[in-house]
């Protein structure tokens, strides 16, 4: 355990991400004090029982007061109001960051409230599970995952050079100590990348699970019993927190609609190949995708164990 | 190990499914002799090295000769020709079955070749991984999964009563001994159920991976690095065998196009909600899907470990 990077870390929002961050900060001894805030009394009481914060405050302002790092961990739709509430209480030289899954909208909503002398550095750890709430948090969530920082006012071709350079470096050091790899991007590019790697997959997963639920010719019990053929993988990500995801789609509209348009175009081409029995077109499309899977495994971003190791196969290494 | 159920089991096609079946038959001592055949010399040589068949034949006819159970494990597009080839060599009272992912087309292609006195009972074990080939096979593949039998000429409301009743019971006993639960269905209903639980998910997964590969604004390296946000789950099923999946879509066209039509309609509604900023509609759609996930886990068809246990969380039970 090294010297704490921050004196007082305030985590506003104590769901899966906020709770995991608190655990990771404690594991690494990265803060003199971990202070938490959650909007609901129920969550605050539960976090007091779980004990992963040194102190749980009943207001966001109290939590932010005196902190040298404030992390917004609520759904992104709540960030504007949250920033407005805490702004008058922020200590000069404080770093404000967030874990929101969209970045342009967060810059739009939060920046206007940030007082002079406070450093707002938007961030997004690409990590999560399908579970929600403070009980779902765990220290290892960020290990080996990427955390993207999108400093404001940086040149597009060199985002590490900003007015806040020292603070950006300090925040990057913090995330690395939480187990993450850190990358820099401008907010607009971040939103495009996440639209295809995360937002569109979630939209499609929510959609197919909804389609299946509405069928008349196939019962829900059939769908559940025979889900091992592929469907169950989609239900995992479609079990993610609905409020968080509503806010993401409302706040990354342009990029999601752009990616969705391309997806639909490609799907129409596949549909046509099926209708006209064009086996060569299908084979060609289905053959292109294995390379990407292999690259993701080589990059350490997924497990090579077949079927995610759901089957216990003797001799297999667990991820 | 109990008394073998069959004297000689012939497995025609030695990829993931055929190889796994051979392993499961051997594990359970379910056959006096396991005979294999694969179209390519390379596969036959490899299976001889791996040794999970008692005998590997250079022709399908030689493998089928004298067998009291013949299992077609090739891609479904090859079944018609395979049935025609082996037909003259089939022993009277032999059971012919298959592991194909579509059933109406298999009945259409295989039935005309089946000689009098031979019992053709189509089947489909709902099991698999994204890997292919004889090296990918393992005995536990069918454990706890469903195997659907679709006996021909059975009444829709009672598929267990067919002319072949004794043989259907024997085949069901065989699959149970391989670790599966057995269910009965008529071929048409099977194809509808699988269209939504397996074929459409695979089509969508192949499609989004293709869409991502074609982007100009987001590089392939971005997609790979940040795939942990959801995309990587789709790449797993999009890594499945292209020949097998081409044949499935060509042979379950009507049902897949029907499900795809509904999926696209629902997706348009979601697209509209995003475009018009209708947060309530999004929230409502995203809230409906958790129940199905919970039911799938309760039914033992998926692992409750968050994120499929990719993160080692101390105290978690592995699936």
């Amino acid at each position: 355990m090294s010297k704490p990077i921050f004196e007082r870390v305030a985590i506003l929002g104590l769901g899966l991400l906020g709770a995991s961050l608190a655990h990771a900060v404690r594991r690494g001894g990265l803060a003199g004090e971990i202070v938490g805030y959650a909007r609901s009394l129920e969550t605050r009481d539960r976090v007091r029982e779980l004990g992963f914060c040194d102190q749980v405050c009943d207001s966001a302002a109290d939590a932010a007061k005196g902190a040298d790092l404030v992390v917004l961990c609520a759904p992104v739709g709540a960030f504007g109001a949250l920033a407005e509430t805490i702004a008058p209480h922020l200590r000069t030289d404080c770093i404000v960051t967030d874990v929101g899954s969209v970045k342009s909208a967060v810059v739009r909503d939060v920046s206007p409230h940030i007082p002079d002398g406070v450093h707002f550095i938007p961030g997004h750890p690409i990590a999560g599970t399908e579970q929600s709430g403070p009980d779902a948090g765990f220290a290892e969530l960020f290990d080996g995952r990427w955390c993207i920082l999108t400093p404001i006012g940086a040149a597009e071709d060199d985002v590490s050079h900003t007015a806040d350079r020292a603070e950006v470096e300090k925040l990057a050091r913090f995330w690395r100590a939480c187990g993450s790899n850190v990358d820099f991007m401008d907010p607009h590019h971040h939103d495009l990348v996440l639209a295809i790697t995360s937002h569109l997959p979630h939209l499609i997963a929510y959609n197919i699970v909804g389609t299946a639920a509405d069928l008349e010719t196939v019962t829900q019990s059939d769908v559940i019993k025979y889900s091992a053929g592929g469907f169950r993988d989609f239900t995992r990500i479609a079990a993610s927190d609905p409020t968080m995801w509503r806010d993401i789609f409302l706040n990354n509209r342009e990029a999601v609609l752009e990616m969705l348009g391309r997806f639909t175009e490609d799907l129409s081409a596949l549909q046509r190949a099926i209708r006209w029995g064009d086996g060569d077109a299908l084979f060609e499309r289905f053959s292109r995708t294995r390379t990407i899977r292999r690259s993701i495994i080589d990059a350490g971003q997924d497990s090579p164990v077949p079927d995610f190791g759901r089957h216990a196969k003797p001799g297999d290494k667990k991820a």
Side-chain angles (χ1 to χ4, degrees), chain A:
Chain A
M1 216 169 275
S2 47
K3 191 172 167 296
I5 299 174
F6 292 100
E7 293 165 24
R8 176 180 164 108
V9 172
I11 300 176
L12 310 185
L14 297 167
L16 168 67
L17 264 284
S20 296
L21 185 58
H23 282 293
V25 170
R26 180 164 284 179
R27 177 187 69 174
L30 310 180
E33 186 186 16
I34 304 169
V35 186
Y37 161 75
R39 200 183 46 159
S40 89
L41 176 61
E42 190 191 341
T43 302
R44 295 197 298 272
D45 283 348
R46 181 63 186 147
V47 173
R48 288 183 180 112
E49 279 170 40
L50 292 168
F52 58 70
C53 288
D54 298 312
Q55 193 192 331
V56 179
C57 298
D58 290 329
S59 81
D62 284 346
K65 224 170 274 174
D68 48 350
L69 177 68
V70 174
V71 190
L72 309 180
C73 296
V76 291
F79 281 5
L82 204 49
E84 191 174 9
T85 305
I86 61 171
H89 309 278
L90 292 172
R91 155 180 158 180
T92 301
D93 280 333
C94 167
I95 295 175
V96 175
T97 188
D98 74 299
V99 299
S101 306
V102 301
K103 296 272 67 78
S104 300
V106 166
V107 171
R108 178 196 69 202
D109 293 349
V110 173
S111 297
H113 303 292
I114 299 294
D116 286 347
V118 169
H119 308 276
F120 175 46
I121 307 166
H124 179 204
I126 316 293
T129 77
E130 67 278 23
Q131 305 200 338
S132 322
D135 286 274
F138 58 104
E140 297 80 8
L141 181 65
F142 309 105
D143 289 350
R145 300 276 82 89
W146 286 94
C147 179
I148 300 176
L149 299 181
T150 64
I152 298 167
E156 281 227 9
D157 58 342
D158 184 2
V159 282
S160 65
H161 284 77
T162 72
D164 300 321
R165 184 166 178 188
E167 289 75 17
V168 170
E169 283 306 325
K170 190 176 180 183
L171 186 60
R173 193 152 56 89
F174 171 80
W175 276 111
R176 287 190 196 104
C178 288
S180 287
N181 302 311
V182 175
D183 212 347
F184 302 96
M185 240 181 235
D186 78 276
H188 176 71
H189 187 67
H190 167 277
D191 289 353
L192 279 176
V193 171
L194 271 288
I196 187 70
T197 56
S198 177
H199 306 171
L200 186 57
H202 276 80
L203 191 71
I204 287 165
Y206 278 122
N207 193 62
I208 194 175
V209 177
T211 302
D214 288 341
L215 294 173
E216 317 85 27
T217 47
V218 175
T219 66
Q220 198 129 321
S221 128
D222 282 336
V223 170
I224 289 159
K225 257 171 107 169
Y226 306 114
S227 60
F231 185 78
R232 61 177 178 182
D233 285 12
F234 289 71
T235 65
R236 188 186 73 82
I237 57 180
S240 303
D241 184 56
T243 307
M244 168 180 158
W245 282 96
R246 176 199 64 196
D247 284 4
I248 289 172
F249 291 110
L250 294 177
N251 287 285
N252 197 20
R253 177 159 54 183
E254 306 309 323
V256 169
L257 290 177
E258 162 69 16
M259 297 302 172
L260 184 52
R262 287 164 179 263
F263 172 84
T264 307
E265 240 172 65
D266 293 344
L267 194 58
S268 297
L270 272 183
Q271 183 171 13
R272 193 171 191 284
I274 292 172
R275 192 178 299 283
W276 292 96
D278 186 349
D280 291 345
L282 294 174
F283 184 83
E284 191 272 326
R285 289 293 297 274
F286 299 167
S287 303
R288 291 172 56 200
T289 48
R290 287 187 157 181
T291 328
I292 294 192
R293 174 74 187 159
R294 172 56 40 207
S295 308
I296 286 174
I297 289 168
D298 290 347
Q301 295 302 308
D302 207 353
S303 154
V305 178
D307 204 20
F308 298 121
R310 284 174 175 123
H311 298 279
K313 183 181 171 185
D316 264 347
K317 283 194 297 277
K318 292 292 171 203

